[in-house]
Amino acid sequence: MKNKQGLLFVLSGPSGCGKGTVVRELLNQNEDIFLSISATTRLPRDGEVDGQHYYFLTKEQFEEQIATDGMLEHASYCGNYYGTPKDAVMNMCRSGKDVILEIEVQGALQIKKKHPDAVLIFILPPSLEELSRRLIDRHTEDMETINKRLAKSTEEIRHAKEYDYTVVNDTVLETVEQIESIMEAEKFRSKRMLPMIDDLFSTK
Ligand code: 5GP
């Protein structure tokens, strides 16, 4: 027996904690999980493709989406807007697919308020030194942006306790396994099994 409605999983973690790699590996190993493609007003990095990594919008386009209630959540992060287009996510959940949102803290907490059933998972780096090293080593931002992101990271980590689960990203494969276990267990919460319990008593 399987739940009909897909679940909404929110993954957050400071910039450089390795969540991008964890999410990629999670998707590689689980074909039936859908990753929401966010919209942003930041410029594409080398190799990023519109509609695949993000929908790259102008500030005006983004604000139009907010005004027309097209975003499930949105936040301003280091000077740019980021948001989750609503329809794609809701349609996937309705069709029974589990959906992952890889988003920052303000957006995650908005989701928890609007959708208390969503499951929030925070990914911690092994240490702050490691976080700083990973951000510098990936060479995708200049030093000013890296410093901004590091300041933001410590602020974000303080919110980990508002999440349902926290995992430490020591090694990618272990972290993926831990997240898979959380996802699997969440499906069997009694509150999610109510339709199956009711089914047993319905007259055929
Ligand atoms: P980046 O610029 O490194 O791609 O992302 C910066 C931060 O924005 C990351 O923490 C990422 O998880 C977050 N982010 C990406 N998409 C969204 C979104 O749709 N909504 C929110 N609130 N944050 C997002």
Side-chain angles (χ1 to χ4, degrees):
M1 276 194 204
K2 196 174 177 304
N3 281 301
K4 289 192 182 72
Q5 173 89 9
L7 301 186
L8 198 52
F9 292 95
V10 176
L11 292 189
S12 303
S15 199
C17 75
K19 66 181 180 300
T21 317
V22 167
V23 169
R24 260 198 314 279
E25 191 56 35
L26 195 59
L27 295 176
N28 276 346
Q29 294 187 23
N30 298 274
E31 283 173 355
D32 49 348
I33 299 176
F34 172 80
L35 176 69
S36 159
I37 301 172
S38 295
T40 184
T41 56
R42 87 148 160 73
L43 295 174
R45 293 184 187 130
D46 274 354
E48 282 185 334
V49 178
D50 186 40
Q52 188 182 326
H53 297 94
Y54 276 107
Y55 296 106
F56 293 100
L57 305 183
T58 61
K59 189 164 175 272
E60 292 68 33
Q61 287 170 324
F62 200 104
E63 286 173 349
E64 168 76 15
Q65 286 292 314
I66 299 171
T68 54
D69 197 26
M71 295 290 179
L72 194 58
E73 59 71 36
H74 68 276
S76 177
Y77 179 92
C78 294
N80 287 298
Y81 279 131
Y82 292 81
T84 304
K86 182 154 76 178
D87 288 350
V89 170
M90 290 295 114
N91 290 340
M92 279 293 162
C93 279
R94 261 182 235 119
S95 72
K97 286 223 174 207
D98 295 332
V99 179
I100 291 186
L101 310 184
E102 188 212 314
I103 64 178
E104 54 68 67
V105 167
Q106 306 164 64
L109 298 178
Q110 287 173 39
I111 295 283
K112 190 75 184 170
K113 243 191 198 159
K114 281 194 204 162
H115 297 275
D117 257 12
V119 181
L120 269 56
I121 305 172
F122 199 91
I123 304 180
L124 281 176
S127 68
L128 290 181
E129 292 71 35
E130 177 67 14
L131 186 73
S132 155
R133 198 185 57 73
R134 285 181 190 171
L135 262 183
I136 293 168
D137 283 359
R138 74 182 188 189
H139 301 294
T140 51
E141 279 96 4
D142 56 34
M143 238 10 243
E144 190 193 337
T145 312
I146 291 176
N147 284 332
K148 257 197 208 168
R149 283 181 177 239
L150 278 173
K152 188 86 186 159
S153 295
T154 30
E155 191 187 315
E156 288 205 305
I157 290 172
R158 293 187 204 286
H159 285 283
K161 40 182 158 336
E162 291 164 69
Y163 281 61
D164 301 304
Y165 298 91
T166 300
V167 294
V168 179
N169 186 20
D170 272 319
T171 69
V172 174
L173 290 183
E174 256 179 340
T175 307
V176 167
E177 260 179 39
Q178 288 159 357
I179 294 175
E180 283 172 342
S181 312
I182 293 168
M183 295 177 88
E184 190 61 14
E186 276 292 330
K187 290 182 190 158
F188 297 99
R189 277 191 181 275
S190 296
K191 67 177 180 191
R192 303 197 207 283
M193 297 300 281
L194 291 179
M196 288 68 170
I197 298 169
D198 289 344
D199 264 6
L200 286 179
F201 293 107
S202 66
T203 45
K204 295 271 149 63

